[in-house]
Amino acid sequence: AQSVAQPEDQVNVAEGNPLTVKCTYSVSGNPYLFWYVQYPNRGLQFLLKYITGDNLVKGSYGFEAEFNKSQTSFHLKKPSALVSDSALYFCAVRDNTRGSYIPTFGRGTSLIVHP
Amino acid sequence: SAVISQKPSRDICQRGTSLTIQCQVDSQVTMMFWYRQQPGQSLTLIATANQGSEATYESGFVIDKFPISRPNLTFSTLTVSNMSPEDSSIYLCSVGGTGQSYEQYFGPGTRLTVT
């Protein structure tokens, strides 16, 4: 089975400060990991992914995430938050040995960046 | 990447009626996915639709309630039948996750309110 946890319903950060949105996962094999962002009244947009290779992955809009196999984590980070980063963020995991194309999504974390 | 459009973007429907949601992709894809996103919750996969075959439904979803059509490689419809207020959700169409495109791409969603 595969599962993903986003332990924080909401993260608040001041504009210009670094931000972290947490994600931990569980798979039976090796993971494919993803972050998506959902702006109000919009569908989900792909931000970044970890498939293999470097543990630090860079994505759209200045976001990055670090794959940590020992801690089974894939936290999303950005060095300097913008008010426009305020949105709902979803982590997703897929087991690459399962032979399935279907990821499991976390419950989402609402990021609020204060001016 | 893929560009996905959905119709309608939102609707308010009466209990007991049905609504058909359309999903159009700008390129040919083998698999299309339908998700439900209830208020404050994560994404739940309803079914996977392959062209030329019957859709595969996830546990808790049945064809009589959510019939799906997939007449060609760029189009699909999801019908929400005999609606009740519990069906009030955002319904999302998605493609991707197969082959070289590990990530998924989502339509803007259909916001359904059942009164």
Side-chain angles (χ1 to χ4, degrees), chain A residues 43-63:
Chain A
L44 275 72
Q45 296 178 31
F46 168 71
L47 269 182
L48 51 79
K49 65 187 175 191
Y50 172 82
I51 303 299
T52 187
D54 290 342
N55 290 342
L56 184 62
V57 177
K58 294 186 184 295
S60 306
Y61 312 121
F63 284 94

Side-chain angles (χ1 to χ4, degrees), chain A residues 1-42:
Chain A
Q2 57 190 33
S3 65
V4 62
Q6 293 181 244
E8 302 154 317
D9 289 337
Q10 185 172 302
V11 170
N12 290 277
V13 64
E15 188 173 33
N17 283 1
L19 69 87
T20 298
V21 183
K22 296 179 180 177
C23 172
T24 58
Y25 68 89
S26 175
V27 295
S28 55
N30 291 317
Y32 291 156
L33 293 156
F34 309 87
W35 276 102
Y36 294 86
V37 60
Q38 186 177 33
Y39 297 102
N41 300 315
R42 304 278 294 275

Side-chain angles (χ1 to χ4, degrees), chain A residues 32 34 36 38 41-46 49 51 88 90 94 100-103 105-108, chain B residues 10 31 33 35 37 41-43 45 48 92 97-100 102-108 111:
Chain A
Y32 291 156
F34 309 87
Y36 294 86
Q38 186 177 33
N41 300 315
R42 304 278 294 275
L44 275 72
Q45 296 178 31
F46 168 71
K49 65 187 175 191
I51 303 299
L88 191 57
F90 289 95
R94 208 179 96 192
S100 169
Y101 301 121
I102 311 301
F105 287 84
R107 58 191 290 181
Chain B
R10 59 177 64 227
M31 300 171 74
F33 307 92
Y35 286 87
Q37 184 181 16
Q41 298 190 25
S42 185
L43 279 71
L45 182 65
T48 302
L92 294 160
T98 63
Q100 294 303 310
Y102 296 97
E103 65 272 19
Q104 289 184 268
Y105 296 93
F106 290 84
R111 184 179 294 272

Side-chain angles (χ1 to χ4, degrees), chain B:
Chain B
S1 64
V3 178
I4 305 171
S5 60
Q6 285 185 236
K7 290 181 182 179
S9 58
R10 59 177 64 227
D11 207 340
I12 301 173
C13 300
Q14 291 193 343
R15 181 195 301 259
T17 62
S18 298
L19 175 72
T20 295
I21 302 167
Q22 299 179 9
C23 177
Q24 180 76 50
V25 188
D26 69 341
S27 58
Q28 294 185 338
V29 294
T30 304
M31 300 171 74
M32 296 178 75
F33 307 92
W34 286 99
Y35 286 87
R36 182 172 73 182
Q37 184 181 16
Q38 294 183 303
Q41 298 190 25
S42 185
L43 279 71
T44 302
L45 182 65
I46 297 172
T48 302
N50 289 333
Q51 193 269 336
S53 63
E54 286 200 6
T56 301
Y57 289 83
E58 297 297 305
S59 176
F61 298 95
V62 295
I63 187 171
D64 290 346
K65 175 68 175 177
F66 296 100
I68 289 171
S69 77
R70 183 78 202 274
N72 58 52
L73 291 173
T74 64
F75 187 79
S76 178
T77 68
L78 169 75
T79 299
V80 186
S81 303
N82 188 25
M83 288 184 285
S84 66
E86 292 71 34
D87 294 320
S88 296
S89 283
I90 299 172
Y91 291 86
L92 294 160
C93 173
S94 173
V95 303
T98 63
Q100 294 303 310
S101 174
Y102 296 97
E103 65 272 19
Q104 289 184 268
Y105 296 93
F106 290 84
T110 296
R111 184 179 294 272
L112 171 62
T113 302
V114 183
T115 60

